[in-house]
Amino acid sequence: MLMIKKSTNWDHFTKLDGDPATPRAECNYYGKDYACHTIINGTSNMWSHLKVCKNFPFMVDKKQRILVLEPNKAGGESGDRSMGTLKTIGYDYDEYRQAPVKIIIIDELPFNFVEGKGFRLFSRTVQPRFDIPSRFTVMRV
């Protein structure tokens, strides 16, 4: 009987030979094994492991900073013609969540401003990782 694996996490785990009543799967990167009975365990424990697996090649470190090139003003003060200064920036979710609230308060805008197409386009362009809050969330913050 051919078993069809529906979950995409099976690309990262190998089912181990053993007792069919208590099946186990091994992480292809770390080597740790997990229970994988379809009815009792499901695949959530394997997904949880992939989020913290140190050897998982597609892991994105949330603390990783991004390099950006800050261009110099034309000629600068010293008159040099260098491209700019290389800086690192981080992503602080709380700081990004407070920014739309400050915009609304300072510019006296309606709360539904954050749901406009223009603001959403701007936010996605500046920081694609930021989930834009709804107007109700902005009112609570």
Side-chain angles (χ1 to χ4, degrees):
M1 179 169 102
L2 179 63
M3 184 176 144
I4 299 173
K5 296 177 175 139
K6 295 180 181 179
S7 179
T8 57
N9 76 348
W10 286 107
D11 296 339
H12 310 289
F13 287 87
T14 304
K15 193 161 186 175
L16 300 173
D17 294 331
D19 183 14
T22 58
R24 302 210 48 95
E26 181 180 54
C27 173
N28 294 340
Y29 312 108
Y30 196 68
K32 187 165 171 138
D33 65 294
Y34 293 89
C36 64
H37 191 279
T38 20
I39 297 170
I40 299 170
N41 309 107
T43 57
S44 59
N45 61 344
M46 292 187 279
W47 281 118
S48 297
H49 166 72
L50 285 178
K51 290 179 184 175
V52 296
C53 181
K54 295 184 184 339
N55 298 336
F56 184 51
F58 306 108
M59 173 63 93
V60 176
D61 185 7
K62 301 221 187 277
K63 296 177 185 173
Q64 181 70 40
R65 298 178 71 77
I66 299 169
L67 289 174
V68 292
L69 182 65
E70 185 176 276
N72 285 341
K73 297 197 166 89
E77 292 177 10
S78 61
D80 65 355
R81 301 289 233 162
S82 64
M83 292 288 292
T85 308
L86 195 59
K87 288 187 166 190
T88 60
I89 59 169
Y91 175 71
D92 183 4
Y93 178 77
D94 294 327
E95 185 179 335
Y96 278 92
R97 191 167 179 188
Q98 289 292 325
V101 176
K102 290 177 184 176
I103 291 170
I104 288 172
I105 293 170
I106 292 169
D107 293 338
E108 299 176 3
L109 298 169
F111 288 114
N112 66 355
F113 172 75
V114 295
E115 294 176 347
K117 289 180 183 177
F119 179 75
R120 290 188 177 279
L121 175 66
F122 175 76
S123 295
R124 290 279 175 232
T125 304
V126 172
Q127 181 52 267
R129 293 189 287 176
F130 178 60
D131 293 324
I132 301 164
S134 70
R135 62 181 168 192
F136 301 109
T137 303
V138 171
M139 284 190 292
R140 284 192 305 262
V141 176

